[in-house]
Amino acid sequence: MIKKNLLLTPGPTPVPSEVLLSMARPAIHHRTPQFMAIFKEMNENLKYVFQTKHDVFTFACSGTGAMEATVANLLSGGDTAICVQAGKFGERWGEICKAYGITAVIIDVEWGDAVTPEQIKKALDQHKNAKAVFTTLCETSTGAGIDLKAIADVLRPRAAVLVTDAISALGGMELRTDEWGVDVVVSGSQKGLMIPPGLGFCSISPKAWQLVEQSKSPRYYFDFRAAKAALDKTDTPYTPAVSLCIALNEALKMLRQETLEQAWARQRRLCEAIRAAMLALGLKLYAKKPAEVVTAVCVPQGVDGEKLVKIMRDDYGITIAGGQEQLKGKIFRFASLGFVNEFDIMTGISCLEIVLAKLGYTFTAGAGVGAAQKIFAA
Ligand SMILES: *Cc1c(COP(=O)(O)O)cnc(C)c1O
């Protein structure tokens, strides 16, 4: 059988052909007016997607690099920070803080659940010296989303800054950085932004910038001060990932043309259809408050979850994600992130049905596809 590959994973995600082709053009040098024009446009488009008028720094790294850069630039050893831990990616904030000698006050949230503004308020009241609160907008490991706007309201009158990992959420879930008052938004290139892995981003508010100037943590390549000095001149301190920047600019132009509001609405609709399909198949959703870019689904009794993902990928070319850590084999994650439309979702659900049936799960054939199609036809 001819194999066609479709990525329905929470990163990496499908890359549009216009974007792929932009990377196939002959290389250009980065210290040229040619690159500068692209870089300028890319930065303006990034501000639009981040919904901020402040700086967005771009680094040649994956999302985790941008997370580490944020910790190193905001805090110093001995500082206290509050870290929300509701899954694998929330845990990462705590681990990075630990690596930099920062005392992490952990708000431990049951996996699948979302932190509440009240929990953040309580932690801040108990730890008045906390300089930052680290959150995850979409906890990709569990598929749960948080109410970041309400959390930002808690932080607004306080000294602590609000940081959110929007690596999977940016471009897919509503996020109004300046309007809500989110001080640092961290993201990566291979999820909602429709390009391959390799770029990490940090947006920064003036409130957070004060911490950057005070931080005593060691940093060199990821020093926000160097990044800002260069960015002020539409430049980068070191060689940027030229081809990825070119690709990003093309992808952001597409996103801008669709409009961010439309992209958010598209993701909402895709996730609504995925959820309806799963329920129609008699499956249970894992997250209590599902995010709008990835849907975590409990593997039904008697079905081998790892085999499900493997057969879909190896026999049919459709890649979804399994569970991580304690959720290995227990959930699968069906993403709609990035360059994905209704028919990609229909294809994914159809493949899921075929493989579920192969693995001995009983349901009415076509029930999931039908439920999704009903939503798309409405
Ligand atoms: C993917 C992801 C990360 C990790 O990003 P890398 O690019 O793999 O370093 C961190 N946080 C969240 C929420 C993610 O979805």
Side-chain angles (χ1 to χ4, degrees):
M1 189 168 59
I2 287 176
K3 185 86 75 61
K4 268 193 162 185
N5 292 308
L6 174 61
L7 281 175
L8 295 171
T9 61
T13 60
V15 179
S17 32
E18 295 90 320
V19 175
L20 286 171
L21 289 170
S22 75
M23 289 188 288
R25 287 187 211 131
I28 60 168
H29 194 277
H30 55 292
R31 312 279 184 214
T32 56
Q34 250 175 312
F35 181 71
M36 201 183 203
I38 294 166
F39 189 60
K40 184 164 184 271
E41 191 177 36
M42 180 197 101
N43 284 315
E44 279 158 13
N45 288 334
L46 270 179
K47 286 184 181 189
Y48 167 73
V49 175
F50 275 76
Q51 291 283 288
T52 184
K53 59 181 191 330
H54 305 298
D55 287 333
V56 181
F57 301 130
T58 300
F59 296 102
C61 61
S62 81
T64 307
M67 292 172 78
E68 175 163 352
T70 300
V71 172
N73 278 278
L74 297 185
L75 302 172
S76 315
D79 281 349
T80 298
I82 293 166
C83 298
V84 177
Q85 209 166 277
K88 187 174 168 60
F89 295 110
E91 279 176 2
R92 196 161 292 178
W93 281 129
E95 288 163 8
I96 298 170
C97 283
K98 202 172 152 215
Y100 281 84
I102 292 147
T103 306
V105 174
I106 305 291
I107 303 181
D108 225 329
V109 179
E110 203 186 328
W111 283 38
D113 218 335
V115 72
T116 63
E118 292 70 33
Q119 282 174 294
I120 304 267
K121 188 169 180 298
K122 195 172 147 217
L124 283 165
D125 287 342
Q126 282 171 351
H127 302 274
K128 293 216 155 47
N129 60 341
K131 284 191 174 169
V133 175
F134 292 98
T135 62
T136 314
L137 182 48
C138 165
E139 178 46 81
T140 317
S141 62
T142 68
I146 60 169
D147 187 350
L148 189 63
K149 183 175 189 278
I151 292 169
D153 287 340
V154 172
L155 269 289
R156 189 167 299 117
R158 298 172 191 252
V161 299
L162 174 60
V163 179
T164 204
D165 165 356
I167 296 176
S168 59
L170 189 77
M173 270 170 82
E174 185 176 4
L175 170 54
R176 300 183 189 272
T177 304
D178 289 357
E179 190 186 316
W180 293 354
V182 188
D183 295 295
V184 179
V185 173
V186 175
S187 201
S189 55
Q190 77 276 26
K191 306 203 177 180
L193 300 185
M194 312 185 287
I195 70 163
L199 296 180
F201 312 98
C202 306
S203 75
I204 185 128
S205 74
K207 183 176 166 185
W209 189 258
Q210 292 177 353
L211 289 183
V212 175
E213 285 175 340
Q214 291 161 19
S215 165
K216 292 182 185 63
S217 290
R219 54 211 147 125
Y220 188 85
Y221 182 76
F222 289 109
D223 195 330
F224 285 0
R225 293 166 300 186
K228 180 169 173 50
L231 193 58
D232 286 346
K233 295 179 285 177
T234 318
D235 205 350
T236 55
Y238 318 106
T239 310
V242 176
S243 330
L244 288 174
C245 288
I246 291 169
L248 179 64
N249 193 38
E250 291 305 313
L252 293 179
K253 278 196 274 191
M254 286 176 68
L255 199 51
R256 210 163 179 161
Q257 201 162 29
E258 182 184 20
T259 81
L260 207 44
E261 278 78 9
Q262 288 296 324
W264 295 338
R266 171 168 51 90
Q267 284 297 329
R268 267 199 300 274
R269 202 169 150 81
L270 297 181
C271 286
E272 193 193 337
I274 295 167
R275 291 194 297 260
M278 299 307 142
L279 297 179
L281 292 172
L283 302 173
K284 280 199 193 70
L285 304 178
Y286 181 74
K288 295 204 178 87
K289 269 180 55 189
E292 280 150 2
V293 287
V294 57
T295 306
V297 185
C298 301
V299 173
Q301 277 275 316
V303 171
D304 182 334
E306 290 185 63
K307 220 169 172 178
L308 172 75
V309 174
K310 190 178 179 320
I311 296 176
M312 282 180 71
R313 183 193 61 217
D314 296 347
D315 294 0
Y316 297 96
I318 311 267
T319 311
I320 59 168
Q324 296 161 290
E325 315 249 320
Q326 69 258 41
L327 293 178
K328 219 176 166 90
K330 297 207 171 76
I331 62 165
F332 62 84
R333 294 172 300 149
F334 199 118
S336 47
L337 259 172
F339 187 59
V340 170
N341 74 3
E342 289 101 314
F343 297 101
D344 296 322
I345 296 301
M346 298 286 287
T347 302
I349 295 169
S350 172
C351 179
L352 176 74
E353 286 197 14
I354 289 170
V355 179
L356 275 173
K358 271 195 168 174
L359 293 174
Y361 180 65
T362 2
F363 60 95
T364 313
V369 172
Q373 183 161 325
K374 210 175 264 173
I375 286 178
F376 294 140

